[in-house]
Amino acid sequence: MHYYRKRRCYQPGVLLLALSILCLALAGCGARKSAAPEVSLPGVIVPETGGDPLTHTEVAALRSTGHIDRDVPDHAMEDVALQYKYFLRKGRQTMCSFSKRSEQYLDYARQVFRARGMPEELANLAIVESGYRPDARSPAGAAGAWQFMPGTGTLYGLQQDWWTDERLDPYKATEAAADYLQKLHNDFGDWPTAIAAYNAGEGKMSRAKLGTGGRNFFEVKALNHTLDEKTQLREETKQYVPRFMAVTKIMRNLPQLGFDPIQPEKAPGVVRFTARPGTDLTAFSKACDLSWPEFSSYNRHHKRRITCTDRCTFVYVPARSQKLAEQYLCTAQTAGYAGWGPVTVASSADSWEKLSRRANVPVARLKAVNPDVGRLKAGQTILAPRGVNMSRTAVAALDDKKGKRTKSKPVAARKEPVKGRAESAARSRDGEKAAAHGGRHTLQANETLYAVARKYNVSVAALQEQNDIEDPGRVRQGHVLRIPAAGAQRRESAPVARGASGSIGKKRARKVTYTVQANDSLWKIARKHNVSVEDLKRWNRVDEKSLRSGTRLVVAEE
């Protein structure tokens, strides 16, 4: 439900000081209540008037201007003044909380907009959207600090799937928001209209602009009442731009207005790393000396305890843990779950113990990466080694074997374990021999790379590299695997020092390169190859000033 203020007529050219005083006498409407006030600002804020008049200092701050709010028509300043006074009075605690939370992200956001030649004030838009809460969600389905809807997020490169929701990555979402706002500015020609379109949608804004003949948001807003109900801008959008301008004026003058000053440039640093597919995030957090809740607070975009096993993804740690993170990410066990993926439970008769026997993986390990799953039920999606047989037939076969063992004679039952131990010991000796000298292994039914790696005491990553396997899920029964010798395994596991590019990797790492094109920036190149700007700088010892067309950059290390 939306609330509308009564329309009034005002003479043009009213002084800003007079407007701020006049707002005391105007009768206003109640603000729409927010369903989740701690998550984001209410959709419509039409502040109540009254209370103390603005002081000279507050009027001076209201009259301050930046790139976006410098050409506001006099008739539009009333709404800006009303929003401004709301956040100074009734909404002061909200403004205090949001400004403090934004301190962690503002410096990065300003850098992103500055690098694209866009006004730095746009960084304040996330305050209006969510109060800079990375995990903010709206009833309509928008998510993250920049409140991307699913479709728009996908369009601007924010992955959303079983593994991740990158709308909750405040840094990558900031880059996507900059791309979207830049596109809207190109479409509409000015920032207030682009900001209104960010809230209403570009289609809605285009139709309202066409229907009124207005050249910008302010003219469209003034003529909004001439449109039919379907085409009209909602009250939320009409108040959205004034609210942004009011918040921007306050952020520009926090100490003068009695708010605690913030220093975004001195906020605790956060370092972004590119994690390989199947990285164990629980082990990563422990290696960085971080509790899981603290680690998770930096990585809300990850839905699982391991990273996606199909692609590289970003992982964030506080700057104090940078060296520990670098040490962990260059070890062989980092991507220990590269051969795992989402599988569907086919039968409610299945259990962790049965799955453990089929996958040859300890129950504790299966449960560790599925912490929220209790008893297995048909239709559930869980993490398990790819290629494991999840069919009802496989589950039933285990039940049949168990039944036969139960019915067997006591004497036979006593002899069987002895035979089993002998066979197990023989297999162990074979595995040790193959691990020492190398060899071959034919993949059996329901056997996974993880099981083979355990048998021969090598890593899954070493098996993949030795056999040129990119996707462990595509390895099938009958595949002949070359087993790396023990010496090769040790060499593969050993990290090497930083090379000329400054990267950390393995001796056999393959580098992927890219030739810089005209108008390229590190932001664009990093986004195109799904790596961080920090990675590009570290691998190539390059920055924006030294970037030249025709230069070949390392954009990935495999």
Side-chain angles (χ1 to χ4, degrees):
M1 180 177 179
H2 301 291
Y3 293 79
Y4 296 85
R5 289 186 291 103
K6 296 180 180 178
R7 292 190 293 112
R8 299 176 175 82
C9 295
Y10 299 93
Q11 297 298 323
V14 179
L15 294 175
L16 296 181
L17 178 58
L19 281 175
S20 63
I21 298 174
L22 179 62
C23 71
L24 295 173
L26 298 177
C29 293
R32 184 179 69 179
K33 292 182 179 179
S34 170
E38 292 302 318
V39 174
S40 61
L41 288 171
V44 180
I45 295 180
V46 184
E48 296 179 357
T49 57
D52 298 330
L54 295 177
T55 66
H56 290 296
T57 300
E58 291 169 340
V59 171
L62 175 63
R63 296 180 65 179
S64 69
T65 59
H67 185 93
I68 297 175
D69 59 347
R70 63 187 175 191
D71 295 319
V72 181
D74 288 343
H75 67 83
M77 276 303 298
E78 180 206 349
D79 281 339
V80 177
L82 288 171
Q83 294 283 348
Y84 177 78
K85 189 170 184 181
Y86 171 83
F87 287 113
L88 290 182
R89 303 289 191 269
K90 187 176 180 179
R92 188 177 186 85
Q93 187 56 46
T94 297
M95 188 69 228
C96 182
S97 174
F98 286 2
S99 64
K100 190 63 180 175
R101 187 185 298 137
S102 71
E103 187 174 29
Q104 177 66 52
Y105 309 104
L106 275 177
D107 188 56
Y108 182 81
R110 288 168 179 170
Q111 287 182 44
V112 170
F113 288 113
R114 188 165 57 243
R116 288 165 168 76
M118 302 164 71
E120 291 184 21
E121 304 106 282
L122 290 169
N124 296 326
L125 199 60
I127 297 178
V128 177
E129 283 290 332
S130 68
Y132 263 110
R133 278 197 62 169
D135 59 345
R137 293 184 182 275
S138 78
W146 290 91
Q147 289 291 279
F148 273 98
M149 292 294 287
T152 309
T154 300
L155 187 63
Y156 285 88
L158 300 178
Q159 189 80 29
Q160 300 152 66
D161 54 23
W162 192 77
W163 298 96
T164 60
D165 185 346
E166 291 182 338
R167 296 178 298 166
L168 306 185
D169 178 341
Y171 304 100
K172 192 168 183 179
T174 296
E175 296 164 17
D179 289 344
Y180 187 31
L181 285 164
Q182 195 164 43
K183 188 262 185 191
L184 293 173
H185 183 264
N186 292 339
D187 288 348
F188 294 103
D190 68 273
W191 287 114
T193 311
I195 291 169
Y198 189 91
N199 173 260
E202 52 206 277
K204 181 80 171 179
M205 194 68 219
S206 296
R207 290 188 291 273
K209 189 177 178 183
L210 180 64
T212 60
R215 293 170 297 177
N216 55 46
F217 164 75
F218 298 112
E219 292 185 6
V220 171
K221 180 175 178 290
L223 297 170
N224 194 54
H225 64 281
T226 65
L227 300 172
D228 61 76
E229 186 176 352
K230 185 176 180 181
T231 311
Q232 282 185 344
L233 295 179
R234 295 173 298 162
E235 189 70 15
E236 176 184 345
T237 303
K238 289 163 61 180
Q239 294 296 325
Y240 186 78
V241 176
R243 190 191 319 165
F244 165 76
M245 292 184 173
V247 167
T248 296
K249 291 176 184 296
I250 293 173
M251 292 295 293
R252 193 183 291 138
N253 298 277
L254 285 173
Q256 297 91 320
L257 296 172
F259 291 94
D260 291 336
I262 62 173
Q263 295 180 300
E265 67 281 356
K266 295 183 179 180
V270 175
V271 183
R272 176 158 65 184
F273 290 94
T274 301
R276 289 180 291 175
T279 296
D280 184 343
L281 293 180
T282 302
F284 192 8
S285 66
K286 291 178 180 177
C288 293
D289 196 25
L290 299 171
S291 67
W292 178 254
E294 184 179 6
F295 180 85
S296 183
S297 70
Y298 289 97
N299 297 279
R300 299 182 189 277
H301 54 296
H302 285 286
K303 297 179 180 180
R304 313 293 165 194
R305 292 291 185 109
I306 68 174
T307 65
C308 177
T309 54
D310 293 323
R311 66 179 189 277
C312 293
T313 48
F314 290 150
V315 178
Y316 301 89
V317 299
R320 69 177 188 274
S321 301
Q322 180 176 355
K323 290 185 178 180
L324 294 175
E326 288 176 345
Q327 291 169 4
Y328 175 75
L329 289 176
C330 71
T331 59
Q333 66 266 30
T334 302
Y337 291 93
W340 291 47
V343 298
T344 303
V345 178
S347 170
S348 294
D350 209 345
S351 67
W352 291 116
E353 290 72 20
K354 295 175 184 177
L355 178 57
S356 172
R357 293 201 296 274
R358 298 200 305 277
N360 197 21
V361 175
V363 171
R365 194 175 191 210
L366 288 169
K367 289 186 174 182
V369 294
N370 295 280
D372 300 324
V373 181
R375 182 175 176 274
L376 297 185
K377 299 177 183 178
Q380 281 180 322
T381 301
I382 61 171
L383 276 169
R386 281 198 180 100
V388 63
N389 194 339
M390 298 297 294
S391 67
R392 293 173 179 270
T393 305
V395 176
L398 283 177
D399 288 336
D400 289 343
K401 287 183 179 180
K402 183 178 180 181
K404 289 178 180 178
R405 286 196 300 271
T406 302
K407 294 178 181 179
S408 58
K409 295 180 180 180
V411 174
R414 286 193 297 271
K415 290 182 178 179
E416 183 60 30
V418 177
K419 180 181 179 182
R421 285 196 298 271
E423 291 177 349
S424 177
R427 284 196 300 268
S428 178
R429 287 192 297 271
D430 291 342
E432 291 173 359
K433 183 178 179 180
H437 304 290
R440 295 180 181 274
H441 175 88
T442 302
L443 205 64
Q444 305 301 310
N446 301 327
E447 195 171 33
T448 65
L449 284 186
Y450 175 77
V452 177
R454 285 191 64 195
K455 178 177 180 179
Y456 295 103
N457 194 27
V458 297
S459 69
V460 173
L463 275 178
Q464 287 183 248
E465 183 173 351
Q466 184 76 7
N467 294 276
D468 296 324
I469 298 172
E470 292 186 3
D471 184 357
R474 295 186 177 181
V475 180
R476 296 290 182 264
Q477 177 183 356
H479 192 110
V480 179
L481 299 173
R482 297 187 300 276
I483 307 301
Q489 165 69 4
R490 285 192 294 271
R491 287 192 299 271
E492 188 275 336
S493 300
V496 297
R498 295 179 183 270
S501 67
S503 64
I504 294 180
K506 298 186 177 98
K507 289 185 177 181
R508 300 183 63 181
R510 183 172 67 88
K511 297 180 179 179
V512 179
T513 60
Y514 169 78
T515 303
V516 179
Q517 306 298 311
N519 300 322
D520 264 346
S521 68
L522 289 180
W523 299 101
K524 291 181 181 178
I525 298 171
R527 179 136 181 246
K528 182 176 181 180
H529 296 279
N530 197 29
V531 297
S532 69
V533 172
E534 290 77 11
D535 285 334
L536 291 179
K537 289 180 178 179
R538 189 169 67 249
W539 292 334
N540 300 279
R541 293 186 178 178
V542 67
D543 56 27
E544 291 289 354
K545 293 182 180 179
S546 62
L547 190 64
R548 297 289 183 271
S549 177
T551 304
R552 294 189 70 82
L553 298 180
V554 174
V555 293
E557 290 193 341
E558 300 177 349

